[in-house]
Amino acid sequence: MYLMFSFLAHSDVPVDVSNRRLNGETHVMKRIHVPRYLKAGVKFVVMAAGGDQIRPLGNPKVGFRNQSMGAAKMLDDMINEVEEAPEDIMIIQNSDDFFRVLNSDRKIGILLHFEGGMPLEGNLFMLRTFYRVGLRSMQLGWYFRNELADSGAEYNPGGLSNFGRKVVNEMNRLGMVVDVSHLSEASALDVLKISKNPVMASHSNAKAIHNHHRNISNDVIKGIANNGGIIGIVFCHPFVTEGNSEIMDLIDHIDYIKEIVGVKHIALGPDFVDYAYELITGEVSEVNNKSKNSNFDTGFPKGLETVCELPKLINILRKRGYSEKETEMIMGGNLLRFFKSILK
């Protein structure tokens, strides 16, 4: 029996939290984000608290010298938020923590994540250190080449570096989720060759439906499925279709992935940014304006622009022919099963 709740595979909410705390605010999750999640039926969210962003926290006045300092501050901010509102938020660190959240009426479970491996500064001990303070998931790359892997946005991208391979092995040993979203196809396929644990593409769509560097090929989709992994469908216009997307354009990606690998490998990675649009899109645009991809737009399908509208997707999936069980799996059940299989 599946429970109807939503589990989001990717969110940039920590950027908003850290920016607000930088300006003196506290209880940001409790005041702003938790009520929205409760309204939407969201119980778990993978939150990108640091990564490869050129300007840590999205603010040029912060002055952090590198991504590791920015990531450490973001993690500290999220931990402080939990300590300020333990009745509302819990950091998921092991499989048992999922049950604690599900048994609570209003508590939201968050999983700390890096969107790119630059905060490691080329050292495995940094990965272990971040793990010890709660990091449980990491994308290896973002919008450019780093010490671990090539991004799909790079010109003539390659695959994993030697250090990237060591990171994947260490993440497997620790019980961390390896995320291949944003990676080049060569990097993603390298991960799938060496990872002993299931792999996630937290916010990526099907390249066969819309050919964008942020989407993944049939080979990667099938590799993730064969590995026992999961694919989070991303809602942003440029990754869904050419121009402004409609909800049914989004469902086309779900239908396609279901057709080739089955519904048990599909989840949600919407990447909503309405709460801090200019802050977050500023980071991405700065990178894209220096590359061949400078037309980034974070519009969303009409009717699914914010997390508060997420419950509409339930009826849309049912009308499209998905059973109640399949809908529950896509909304949250699949991602819960996936994370429970990896976290120790």
Side-chain angles (χ1 to χ4, degrees), residues 270-283:
D271 204 6
F272 293 119
V273 297
D274 58 292
Y275 49 83
Y277 183 87
E278 292 183 1
L279 184 67
I280 292 170
T281 58
E283 289 180 340

Side-chain angles (χ1 to χ4, degrees), residues 23-268:
N23 293 321
E25 296 184 40
T26 60
H27 298 83
V28 179
M29 289 293 297
K30 183 180 183 68
R31 291 185 295 106
I32 298 172
H33 296 289
V34 167
R36 289 156 52 92
Y37 288 139
L38 292 173
K39 181 179 179 180
V42 173
K43 289 297 286 182
F44 304 102
V45 188
V46 179
M47 294 197 165
D52 285 10
Q53 295 89 336
I54 283 180
R55 295 178 296 154
L57 311 186
N59 190 321
K61 299 179 181 178
V62 172
F64 292 137
R65 291 190 294 273
N66 51 43
Q67 277 79 3
S68 60
M69 290 179 67
K73 180 60 167 62
M74 266 195 182
L75 291 173
D76 182 63
D77 286 337
M78 295 306 296
I79 292 168
N80 284 335
E81 288 281 319
V82 171
E83 291 175 348
E84 291 169 358
E87 69 283 2
D88 295 297
I89 328 162
M90 178 178 179
I91 294 174
I92 302 293
Q93 299 195 55
N94 56 58
S95 293
D96 290 341
D97 288 341
F98 290 109
F99 294 106
R100 296 186 180 97
V101 172
L102 288 172
N103 289 330
S104 169
D105 290 335
R106 61 172 289 109
K107 192 169 288 189
I108 305 296
I110 64 174
L111 292 107
L112 298 177
H113 170 88
F114 279 170
E115 193 161 14
M118 287 185 73
L120 305 186
E121 302 288 339
N123 294 287
L124 287 179
F125 77 82
M126 292 288 282
L127 177 67
R128 292 189 289 270
T129 299
F130 286 125
Y131 175 85
R132 289 173 183 131
V133 297
L135 189 73
R136 291 296 180 269
S137 175
M138 186 174 72
Q139 280 169 234
L140 301 190
W142 191 48
Y143 274 100
F144 44 75
R145 177 177 291 123
N146 65 19
E147 292 175 293
L148 289 77
D150 272 8
S151 159
E154 277 289 343
Y155 177 75
N156 194 25
L160 289 186
S161 67
N162 287 334
F163 178 62
R165 291 169 182 268
K166 291 178 182 178
V167 167
V168 171
N169 288 332
E170 186 68 355
M171 290 177 72
N172 283 176
R173 187 188 72 82
L174 291 170
M176 295 180 67
V177 168
V178 181
D179 186 351
V180 299
S181 278
H182 281 267
L183 293 186
S184 67
E185 177 154 355
S187 294
L189 292 174
D190 280 349
V191 170
L192 290 166
K193 287 176 185 174
I194 65 175
S195 180
K196 296 180 177 64
N197 290 344
V199 167
M200 174 172 71
S202 61
H203 54 309
S204 297
N205 291 336
K207 187 170 285 189
I209 297 295
H210 180 50
N211 187 14
H212 190 284
H213 73 81
R214 278 281 290 102
N215 291 335
I216 53 179
S217 69
N218 285 0
D219 286 344
V220 174
I221 291 171
K222 291 175 182 178
I224 289 172
N226 291 337
N227 170 268
I230 207 95
I231 300 158
I233 300 298
V234 61
F235 292 13
C236 303
H237 283 324
F239 316 141
V240 177
T241 191
E242 196 70 36
N244 291 337
S245 61
E246 303 291 336
I247 292 175
M248 289 309 173
D249 295 320
L250 186 71
I251 304 299
D252 286 344
H253 288 272
I254 296 176
D255 286 348
Y256 183 80
I257 295 172
K258 177 188 176 182
E259 181 181 348
I260 64 173
V261 296
V263 73
K264 68 179 181 179
H265 300 290
I266 305 172
L268 302 180

Side-chain angles (χ1 to χ4, degrees), residues 12-24:
D12 289 316
V13 157
V15 176
D16 182 51
V17 169
S18 287
N19 189 64
R20 289 176 181 273
R21 292 186 74 91
L22 184 71
N23 293 321

